[in-house]
């Protein structure tokens, strides 16, 4: 008959079984409570009751991990993490799930979060992987194995695409002033050229400079074009010219705001005190023009209007 456990050993065993039920890994659980693997195995061999509780803890761990799936659990606290990486859930050769310590250099939760944060900004996988400090293939491999990470990957990519789209739309606005630096600088000197060269350049760029760069198919009627096709072509041509005119107005407005000049429409926005306006009503001028308790109708009080109608 083996020697019974003392209080310290019982507390150690209880802590070990609690960790074993959580992780399903004997070595990791023993290391978490400060015991050697050989010591805990000796206790198992010497105490059948402890071995039974050991097996029960493994059964509970397998049931919980199987229900949870291949998903890394949240670390309880930083002090419980072993050196070399975070705790991850893996599938053993016999098909059972087990929590193990991530090997040095493998992906960790912090690395995944850094990658997802970068992906939500750039929508570029290779750039995000470089920003997180890991290989691009490692994140693709994690996405194939971890459905949760694949979901967050997709959400981060959607967020990054939306942010890029909004940034692109904002840069296309004349008020962004992202591409108009050349207009605020003195133009460079004209390179030397002959008269023929100047005329050739004017001929080549006349359509784009004077006609707004409208596509040739929109300006010229094609052979066999029906009336409906011609109407559609003329409509597209009109809409494109209208868009160019609106673009010119937007550019001029952006330049005016950049110079700090007032808008020409601000003078129309002056609000006049309506109490000072006279001559608009046919009511007796000697009477009070407004009674807060009675409504006006064309300058008349309702009772005066009824009396006049009678």
């Amino acid at each position: 008959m083996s020697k019974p456990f003392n209080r310290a050993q019982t507390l150690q065993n209880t802590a070990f079984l609690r960790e074993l039920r959580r992780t399903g890994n004997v070595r990791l659980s023993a290391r978490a409570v400060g015991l050697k693997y050989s010591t805990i195995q000796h206790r198992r061999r010497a105490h059948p009751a402890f071995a039974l509780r050991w097996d029960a803890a493994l059964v509970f761990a397998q049931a919980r991990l199987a229900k949870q799936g291949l998903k890394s659990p949240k670390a309880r606290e930083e002090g419980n993490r072993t050196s070399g990486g975070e705790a991850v859930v893996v599938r053993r050769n016999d098909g059972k799930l087990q929590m193990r310590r991530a090997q040095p250099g493998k992906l960790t939760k912090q690395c995944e979060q850094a990658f997802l944060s970068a992906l939500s900004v750039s929508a570029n996988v290779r750039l995000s992987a470089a920003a997180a400090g890991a290989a691009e293939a490692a994140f693709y491999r994690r996405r194939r194995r971890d459905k949760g990470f694949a979901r967050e990957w997709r959400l981060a990519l959607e967020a990054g695409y939306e942010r890029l789209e909004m940034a692109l739309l904002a840069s296309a606005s004349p008020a962004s002033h992202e591409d108009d630096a050349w207009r605020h600088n003195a133009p460079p000197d004209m390179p030397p050229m002959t008269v023929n060269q100047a005329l050739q350049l004017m001929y080549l760029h006349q359509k784009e400079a004077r006609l707004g760069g409208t596509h040739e198919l929109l300006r010229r009627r094609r052979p066999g074009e029906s009336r409906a096709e011609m109407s559609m072509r003329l409509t597209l041509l009109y809409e494109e010219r209208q868009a160019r005119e609106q673009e010119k107005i937007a550019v001029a407005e952006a330049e005016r705001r950049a110079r700090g000049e007032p808008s020409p429409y601000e003078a129309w926005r002056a609000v006049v005190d309506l109490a000072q306006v006279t001559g608009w009503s046919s009511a007796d001028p000697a009477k009070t023009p407004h009674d807060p308790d009675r409504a006006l109708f064309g300058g008349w009080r309702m009772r005066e209007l009824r009396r006049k109608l009678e």
Side-chain angles (χ1 to χ4, degrees), residues 98-118:
Q98 186 182 71
M99 181 177 293
R100 293 181 181 177
R101 178 170 53 88
Q103 299 178 1
K106 299 296 182 179
L107 293 184
T108 61
K109 280 297 179 182
Q110 289 81 358
C111 187
E112 291 178 4
Q113 293 301 311
F115 169 81
L116 294 174
S117 298

Side-chain angles (χ1 to χ4, degrees), residues 102-159:
Q103 299 178 1
K106 299 296 182 179
L107 293 184
T108 61
K109 280 297 179 182
Q110 289 81 358
C111 187
E112 291 178 4
Q113 293 301 311
F115 169 81
L116 294 174
S117 298
L119 189 62
S120 65
V121 175
S122 64
N124 189 312
V125 177
R126 181 172 298 180
L127 177 62
S128 302
E136 179 184 359
F139 292 103
Y140 280 107
R141 183 166 54 251
R142 178 61 59 86
R143 186 180 67 172
R144 291 192 299 268
R145 297 180 178 178
D146 192 340
K147 294 182 179 180
F149 182 73
R151 179 192 65 248
E152 298 303 323
W153 179 311
R154 185 185 69 254
L155 295 178
L157 187 60
E158 292 177 358

Side-chain angles (χ1 to χ4, degrees), residues 215-234 236:
H215 198 276
E216 183 69 20
L217 295 178
L218 295 179
R219 296 193 301 269
R220 180 179 302 178
R221 182 173 182 175
R222 293 174 294 177
E225 183 181 42
S226 63
R227 293 182 62 86
E229 293 176 346
M230 183 182 66
S231 177
M232 178 63 68
R233 178 176 58 84
L234 295 179
L236 294 177

Side-chain angles (χ1 to χ4, degrees), residues 50-64:
F50 179 68
L52 179 62
R53 296 176 61 191
W54 180 314
D55 296 336
L58 288 177
V59 171
F60 280 108
Q62 289 298 324
R64 185 179 61 84

Side-chain angles (χ1 to χ4, degrees), residues 13-60:
N13 294 341
T14 302
F16 167 79
L17 293 174
R18 182 170 58 249
E19 287 295 322
L20 185 62
R21 183 170 178 172
R22 187 178 69 88
T23 64
N25 189 305
V26 178
R27 291 184 181 271
L28 184 61
S29 302
R31 191 180 296 113
V33 297
L35 294 175
K36 294 182 180 181
Y37 180 75
S38 59
T39 301
I40 203 68
Q41 287 289 352
H42 173 73
R43 293 182 182 180
R44 172 186 172 87
R45 290 190 300 266
H47 297 81
F50 179 68
L52 179 62
R53 296 176 61 191
W54 180 314
D55 296 336
L58 288 177
V59 171
F60 280 108

